[in-house]
Coordinates of all heavy atoms in Angstrom, one line a residue:
H57 N 26.1 39.1 13.6 CA 26.2 38.8 12.1 C 25.1 37.8 11.7 O 24.7 37.0 12.4 CB 27.6 38.1 11.9 CG 28.0 38.0 10.5 ND1 27.6 36.9 9.7 CD2 28.6 38.8 9.7 CE1 28.0 37.1 8.5 NE2 28.7 38.2 8.4
H58 N 24.7 38.0 10.4 CA 23.5 37.2 9.9 C 23.8 35.7 10.0 O 22.9 34.9 10.0 CB 23.1 37.7 8.6 CG 24.1 37.7 7.6 ND1 24.9 38.8 7.3 CD2 24.6 36.7 6.8 CE1 25.8 38.6 6.3 NE2 25.7 37.3 6.0
D59 N 25.0 35.3 9.9 CA 25.3 33.9 9.9 C 25.1 33.3 11.3 O 24.8 32.1 11.5 CB 26.8 33.6 9.5 CG 26.9 33.7 8.0 OD1 25.9 33.5 7.3 OD2 28.1 33.9 7.5
R60 N 25.1 34.2 12.3 CA 24.7 33.7 13.7 C 23.2 33.4 13.9 O 22.9 32.7 14.7 CB 25.2 34.7 14.7 CG 26.6 34.8 15.1 CD 27.2 33.6 15.8 NE 26.3 33.1 16.9 CZ 26.2 33.6 18.1 NH1 27.0 34.7 18.4 NH2 25.4 33.2 19.0
V61 N 22.4 34.0 13.0 CA 21.0 33.8 13.2 C 20.4 32.7 12.3 O 19.2 32.5 12.3 CB 20.2 35.2 12.9 CG1 20.8 36.3 13.6 CG2 20.0 35.4 11.5
R62 N 21.3 32.0 11.6 CA 20.7 30.9 10.7 C 21.6 29.7 10.9 O 22.7 29.7 11.3 CB 20.7 31.4 9.3 CG 22.1 31.7 8.7 CD 21.9 32.1 7.2 NE 23.2 32.6 6.7 CZ 23.4 32.9 5.5 NH1 22.4 32.7 4.6 NH2 24.5 33.3 5.0
Y63 N 20.9 28.5 10.5 CA 21.7 27.3 10.5 C 21.1 26.4 9.4 O 19.9 26.6 9.0 CB 21.6 26.6 11.9 CG 20.3 26.3 12.5 CD1 19.5 25.2 12.1 CD2 19.8 27.2 13.5 CE1 18.2 25.0 12.7 CE2 18.5 26.9 14.0 CZ 17.8 25.9 13.6 OH 16.5 25.6 14.2
D64 N 21.9 25.4 9.0 CA 21.5 24.5 7.9 C 20.3 23.6 8.4 O 20.4 23.0 9.4 CB 22.6 23.6 7.5 CG 23.6 24.3 6.6 OD1 23.2 25.4 6.1 OD2 24.7 23.7 6.4
I65 N 19.3 23.6 7.6 CA 18.1 22.7 7.9 C 18.5 21.3 8.0 O 18.1 20.5 8.9 CB 17.0 22.9 6.8 CG1 16.4 24.3 7.0 CG2 15.9 21.8 6.9 CD1 15.5 24.8 5.9
K66 N 19.5 20.9 7.1 CA 19.9 19.4 7.1 C 20.5 19.0 8.4 O 20.6 17.8 8.8 CB 20.8 19.2 5.9 CG 20.0 19.2 4.6 CD 20.8 18.6 3.5 CE 19.9 18.5 2.3 NZ 20.5 18.6 1.0
D67 N 21.0 20.0 9.2 CA 21.6 19.7 10.5 C 20.6 19.2 11.6 O 21.0 18.6 12.6 CB 22.4 20.9 11.1 CG 23.6 21.2 10.3 OD1 24.0 20.3 9.5 OD2 24.2 22.2 10.6
V68 N 19.3 19.5 11.4 CA 18.3 19.2 12.4 C 17.3 18.2 11.9 O 16.4 17.8 12.7 CB 17.6 20.5 13.0 CG1 18.6 21.3 13.7 CG2 16.9 21.3 11.9
I69 N 17.3 17.8 10.6 CA 16.3 16.8 10.2 C 16.9 15.5 10.1 O 18.1 15.3 9.8 CB 15.6 17.2 8.9 CG1 16.5 17.4 7.7 CG2 14.7 18.5 9.1 CD1 15.9 17.7 6.4
D70 N 16.1 14.4 10.2 CA 16.6 13.0 10.1 C 16.4 12.7 8.6 O 15.3 12.5 8.1 CB 15.7 12.1 11.0 CG 16.1 10.7 10.8 OD1 16.8 10.3 9.9 OD2 15.6 9.9 11.7
R71 N 17.5 12.7 7.9 CA 17.4 12.5 6.4 C 17.0 11.1 6.0 O 16.6 10.9 4.9 CB 18.7 12.9 5.8 CG 18.8 14.4 5.7 CD 20.1 14.8 5.1 NE 21.1 15.3 6.1 CZ 22.3 15.6 5.9 NH1 22.8 15.5 4.7 NH2 23.1 16.1 6.8
N72 N 16.9 10.2 7.0 CA 16.3 8.9 6.6 C 14.8 8.9 6.6 O 14.2 8.1 6.0 CB 16.8 7.8 7.7 CG 18.2 7.6 7.6 OD1 18.8 7.5 6.5 ND2 18.9 7.5 8.8
K73 N 14.3 9.9 7.3 CA 12.8 10.0 7.3 C 12.2 11.2 6.6 O 11.0 11.2 6.3 CB 12.4 10.1 8.8 CG 12.6 8.8 9.5 CD 11.7 8.8 10.8 CE 11.8 7.4 11.5 NZ 11.5 7.6 12.9
V74 N 13.0 12.3 6.4 CA 12.5 13.5 5.8 C 13.3 13.9 4.6 O 14.5 13.9 4.6 CB 12.6 14.7 6.9 CG1 12.1 16.0 6.3 CG2 11.9 14.3 8.2
D75 N 12.5 14.1 3.5 CA 13.2 14.6 2.3 C 13.0 16.2 2.3 O 11.9 16.7 2.5 CB 12.4 14.1 1.0 CG 12.8 12.7 0.8 OD1 13.9 12.3 1.1 OD2 11.8 12.0 0.3
F76 N 14.2 16.8 2.1 CA 14.1 18.3 2.1 C 14.1 18.8 0.6 O 15.0 18.4 -0.2 CB 15.3 18.9 2.9 CG 15.3 20.4 2.8 CD1 14.3 21.2 3.3 CD2 16.3 21.0 2.0 CE1 14.3 22.6 3.2 CE2 16.4 22.4 1.9 CZ 15.3 23.2 2.5
I77 N 13.2 19.7 0.3 CA 13.3 20.4 -1.0 C 13.5 21.9 -0.8 O 12.7 22.5 0.0 CB 11.9 20.2 -1.8 CG1 11.8 18.7 -2.1 CG2 11.9 21.0 -3.0 CD1 10.4 18.4 -2.8
K78 N 14.5 22.4 -1.4 CA 14.7 23.9 -1.4 C 13.8 24.4 -2.5 O 14.1 24.2 -3.7 CB 16.1 24.2 -1.6 CG 16.4 25.7 -1.6 CD 17.9 26.0 -1.8 CE 18.0 27.5 -2.1 NZ 19.3 27.9 -2.5
G79 N 12.8 25.1 -2.1 CA 11.8 25.6 -3.1 C 10.8 26.6 -2.5 O 10.7 26.7 -1.3
T80 N 10.2 27.4 -3.4 CA 9.2 28.4 -3.0 C 7.9 28.0 -3.4 O 7.6 27.8 -4.6 CB 9.6 29.8 -3.6 OG1 10.9 30.1 -3.1 CG2 8.6 30.8 -3.1
A81 N 7.0 27.8 -2.4 CA 5.6 27.5 -2.8 C 4.9 28.8 -3.3 O 5.0 29.8 -2.7 CB 4.9 27.0 -1.5
V82 N 4.1 28.6 -4.4 CA 3.5 29.8 -4.9 C 1.9 29.7 -4.8 O 1.2 30.7 -4.7 CB 3.9 30.1 -6.4 CG1 5.3 30.7 -6.4 CG2 3.7 28.9 -7.3
E83 N 1.4 28.5 -4.8 CA 0.0 28.3 -4.6 C -0.4 26.9 -4.1 O 0.3 26.0 -4.4 CB -0.7 28.6 -6.0 CG -2.2 28.7 -5.8 CD -2.9 29.1 -7.1 OE1 -2.3 29.5 -8.1 OE2 -4.2 28.9 -7.2
I84 N -1.5 26.8 -3.4 CA -1.9 25.5 -2.9 C -3.2 25.3 -3.6 O -4.2 26.1 -3.6 CB -2.1 25.5 -1.4 CG1 -0.8 25.8 -0.7 CG2 -2.7 24.2 -0.9 CD1 -1.0 26.4 0.7
K85 N -3.3 24.1 -4.3 CA -4.6 23.7 -5.0 C -5.2 22.7 -4.1 O -5.0 21.5 -4.3 CB -4.3 23.1 -6.4 CG -3.5 24.1 -7.3 CD -4.5 24.9 -8.1 CE -3.9 25.7 -9.2 NZ -4.8 26.7 -9.7
T86 N -6.0 23.2 -3.2 CA -6.6 22.2 -2.2 C -7.5 21.2 -2.8 O -7.5 20.0 -2.4 CB -7.4 23.0 -1.1 OG1 -8.3 23.9 -1.7 CG2 -6.5 23.7 -0.1
A87 N -8.2 21.6 -3.9 CA -9.2 20.6 -4.5 C -8.4 19.5 -5.1 O -8.9 18.4 -5.3 CB -10.0 21.3 -5.6
E88 N -7.2 19.7 -5.5 CA -6.4 18.7 -6.2 C -5.3 18.1 -5.2 O -4.5 17.3 -5.7 CB -5.7 19.3 -7.4 CG -6.6 19.7 -8.5 CD -5.9 20.7 -9.4 OE1 -4.9 20.4 -10.0 OE2 -6.5 21.8 -9.6
N89 N -5.3 18.5 -4.0 CA -4.2 18.1 -3.0 C -2.8 18.3 -3.6 O -2.0 17.4 -3.7 CB -4.4 16.6 -2.6 CG -5.6 16.4 -1.7 OD1 -6.1 17.4 -1.2 ND2 -6.0 15.2 -1.5
K90 N -2.6 19.5 -4.1 CA -1.4 19.8 -4.8 C -0.8 21.1 -4.4 O -1.5 22.1 -4.1 CB -1.8 19.8 -6.3 CG -0.6 19.7 -7.2 CD -1.1 19.7 -8.6 CE -1.4 18.3 -9.1 NZ -1.8 18.1 -10.4
V91 N 0.6 21.2 -4.3 CA 1.2 22.5 -4.0 C 2.0 22.8 -5.3 O 2.7 22.0 -5.8 CB 2.2 22.4 -2.9 CG1 2.9 23.7 -2.6 CG2 1.5 22.0 -1.6
L92 N 1.9 24.1 -5.7 CA 2.7 24.5 -6.9 C 3.9 25.2 -6.3 O 3.8 26.2 -5.6 CB 1.9 25.5 -7.8 CG 0.5 25.0 -8.3 CD1 0.0 26.0 -9.3 CD2 0.6 23.6 -8.9
L93 N 5.1 24.7 -6.6 CA 6.3 25.4 -6.3 C 6.7 26.2 -7.6 O 6.1 26.0 -8.6 CB 7.4 24.4 -5.9 CG 7.1 23.4 -4.8 CD1 8.4 22.6 -4.5 CD2 6.6 24.1 -3.6
E94 N 7.7 27.0 -7.4 CA 8.1 27.8 -8.6 C 8.5 26.9 -9.8 O 8.3 27.3 -10.9 CB 9.3 28.7 -8.2 CG 8.9 30.0 -7.7 CD 10.1 30.9 -7.1 OE1 11.2 30.3 -7.0 OE2 9.8 32.0 -6.8
D95 N 9.1 25.8 -9.5 CA 9.6 25.0 -10.6 C 9.1 23.5 -10.7 O 9.6 22.7 -11.4 CB 11.2 24.9 -10.5 CG 11.6 24.4 -9.1 OD1 10.8 24.1 -8.3 OD2 12.8 24.2 -9.0
R96 N 8.1 23.2 -9.8 CA 7.5 21.9 -9.9 C 6.2 21.8 -9.1 O 5.9 22.8 -8.4 CB 8.5 20.8 -9.4 CG 8.8 20.9 -8.0 CD 9.6 19.7 -7.5 NE 11.0 20.0 -7.2 CZ 11.8 19.2 -6.6 NH1 11.4 18.0 -6.3 NH2 13.0 19.6 -6.3
E97 N 5.6 20.7 -9.2 CA 4.3 20.5 -8.5 C 4.6 19.3 -7.5 O 5.3 18.4 -7.7 CB 3.2 20.1 -9.4 CG 2.8 21.1 -10.3 CD 1.6 20.7 -11.2 OE1 1.1 19.6 -11.0 OE2 1.3 21.5 -12.1
L98 N 3.8 19.4 -6.3 CA 4.0 18.4 -5.3 C 2.6 17.9 -4.9 O 1.8 18.7 -4.5 CB 4.6 19.0 -4.1 CG 6.1 18.9 -3.8 CD1 6.5 19.5 -2.5 CD2 6.6 17.4 -3.9
D99 N 2.4 16.6 -5.0 CA 1.1 16.1 -4.5 C 1.2 15.8 -3.0 O 2.3 15.5 -2.5 CB 0.7 14.8 -5.1 CG 0.4 15.0 -6.6 OD1 -0.2 16.0 -6.9 OD2 0.8 14.1 -7.4
Y100 N 0.1 15.9 -2.2 CA 0.2 15.6 -0.8 C -1.1 14.9 -0.4 O -2.1 15.0 -1.1 CB 0.3 16.9 0.0 CG -0.8 17.9 -0.1 CD1 -2.0 17.7 0.7 CD2 -0.8 19.0 -0.9 CE1 -3.1 18.6 0.6 CE2 -1.9 19.9 -1.0 CZ -3.0 19.7 -0.3 OH -4.0 20.5 -0.4
D101 N -1.0 14.1 0.7 CA -2.2 13.6 1.4 C -2.5 14.5 2.5 O -3.7 14.7 2.8 CB -1.9 12.1 1.8 CG -1.7 11.2 0.6 OD1 -2.6 11.1 -0.2 OD2 -0.5 10.7 0.5
Y102 N -1.5 14.9 3.2 CA -1.6 15.9 4.3 C -0.7 17.0 4.1 O 0.5 16.8 3.7 CB -1.3 15.2 5.7 CG -2.2 14.0 5.9 CD1 -1.6 12.7 5.8 CD2 -3.5 14.1 6.2 CE1 -2.4 11.5 6.0 CE2 -4.3 12.9 6.4 CZ -3.7 11.7 6.3 OH -4.5 10.6 6.5
L103 N -1.2 18.2 4.4 CA -0.3 19.4 4.2 C -0.3 20.2 5.5 O -1.3 20.4 6.2 CB -1.0 20.3 3.1 CG -0.2 21.5 2.7 CD1 1.1 21.2 2.0 CD2 -1.1 22.4 1.8
V104 N 0.9 20.8 5.8 CA 1.1 21.7 6.9 C 1.6 23.0 6.3 O 2.6 23.1 5.6 CB 2.1 21.2 7.9 CG1 2.3 22.3 9.0 CG2 1.7 19.9 8.5
V105 N 0.8 24.1 6.5 CA 1.2 25.4 5.9 C 1.8 26.2 7.1 O 1.2 26.5 8.1 CB 0.0 26.2 5.3 CG1 0.5 27.5 4.7 CG2 -0.7 25.3 4.3
A106 N 3.2 26.5 7.0 CA 3.9 27.2 8.1 C 4.9 28.2 7.5 O 6.0 28.2 7.8 CB 4.6 26.1 8.9
V107 N 4.3 29.0 6.5 CA 5.2 29.8 5.8 C 5.4 31.2 6.4 O 6.0 32.2 5.8 CB 4.8 29.9 4.3 CG1 5.2 28.7 3.5 CG2 3.3 30.1 4.2
G108 N 4.9 31.4 7.6 CA 5.2 32.7 8.3 C 4.4 33.9 7.9 O 3.5 33.8 7.0
G109 N 4.8 35.0 8.4 CA 4.1 36.3 8.1 C 4.9 37.2 7.2 O 6.0 36.9 6.8
E110 N 4.2 38.3 6.9 CA 4.8 39.3 6.0 C 4.5 40.7 6.7 O 3.6 40.8 7.5 CB 4.2 39.3 4.6 CG 4.6 38.1 3.9 CD 3.9 38.0 2.5 OE1 3.1 38.9 2.1 OE2 4.1 37.0 1.8
S111 N 5.3 41.7 6.3 CA 5.1 43.0 6.8 C 3.7 43.5 6.4 O 3.3 43.4 5.2 CB 6.2 43.9 6.3 OG 5.9 45.3 6.6
E112 N 3.0 44.2 7.3 CA 1.7 44.7 6.9 C 1.8 46.3 6.7 O 2.2 47.0 7.7 CB 0.7 44.5 8.1 CG -0.7 45.2 8.0 CD -1.5 44.7 6.8 OE1 -1.2 45.2 5.7 OE2 -2.4 43.9 7.0
T113 N 1.6 46.7 5.5 CA 1.7 48.2 5.3 C 0.4 48.9 5.4 O 0.4 50.2 5.3 CB 2.3 48.4 3.9 OG1 1.4 47.9 2.9 CG2 3.7 47.7 3.7
F114 N -0.7 48.2 5.6 CA -2.0 48.8 5.6 C -2.3 49.7 4.4 O -3.0 50.7 4.5 CB -2.2 49.7 6.9 CG -1.9 48.9 8.2 CD1 -0.7 49.1 8.9 CD2 -2.8 48.0 8.7 CE1 -0.4 48.4 10.0 CE2 -2.5 47.2 9.8 CZ -1.4 47.4 10.5
G115 N -1.6 49.5 3.3 CA -1.8 50.2 2.1 C -1.3 51.6 2.2 O -1.6 52.5 1.3
I116 N -0.4 51.9 3.1 CA 0.2 53.3 3.3 C 1.1 53.6 2.1 O 2.0 52.8 1.8 CB 0.9 53.4 4.6 CG1 -0.1 53.3 5.8 CG2 1.7 54.8 4.7 CD1 0.5 53.3 7.2
K117 N 0.9 54.7 1.5 CA 1.6 55.1 0.3 C 3.1 55.1 0.5 O 3.6 55.7 1.4 CB 1.1 56.5 -0.2 CG 1.4 56.8 -1.6 CD 0.7 58.1 -2.0 CE 1.4 58.7 -3.2 NZ 1.1 60.1 -3.4
G118 N 3.8 54.5 -0.5 CA 5.2 54.5 -0.5 C 5.9 53.6 0.5 O 7.2 53.4 0.5
M119 N 5.2 52.9 1.4 CA 5.8 52.1 2.4 C 6.6 50.9 1.8 O 7.7 50.6 2.2 CB 4.7 51.6 3.4 CG 5.2 51.4 4.7 SD 6.2 52.7 5.4 CE 5.0 53.8 6.1
K120 N 5.9 50.2 0.8 CA 6.5 49.1 0.2 C 7.8 49.5 -0.6 O 8.8 48.8 -0.6 CB 5.5 48.4 -0.8 CG 4.9 47.2 -0.3 CD 4.3 46.4 -1.4 CE 3.6 45.2 -0.8 NZ 2.2 45.2 -1.1

Side-chain angles (χ1 to χ4, degrees):
H57 192 271
H58 54 266
D59 283 338
R60 283 289 317 279
V61 315
R62 62 178 172 173
Y63 55 81
D64 279 349
I65 288 168
K66 287 193 171 150
D67 288 351
V68 294
I69 57 172
D70 177 348
R71 281 178 258 173
N72 293 316
K73 286 199 179 158
V74 179
D75 286 325
F76 174 68
I77 295 177
K78 181 180 167 190
T80 299
V82 289
E83 192 175 344
I84 300 158
K85 299 270 188 197
T86 49
E88 297 160 51
N89 287 348
K90 198 175 267 184
V91 178
L92 308 187
L93 306 185
E94 272 173 348
D95 56 356
R96 65 170 112 171
E97 294 181 5
L98 265 183
D99 292 325
Y100 64 83
D101 297 298
Y102 303 104
L103 181 70
V104 180
V105 185
V107 282
E110 293 175 359
S111 169
E112 172 64 280
T113 63
F114 305 104
I116 294 174
K117 198 172 160 201
M119 209 47 88
K120 258 200 186 115

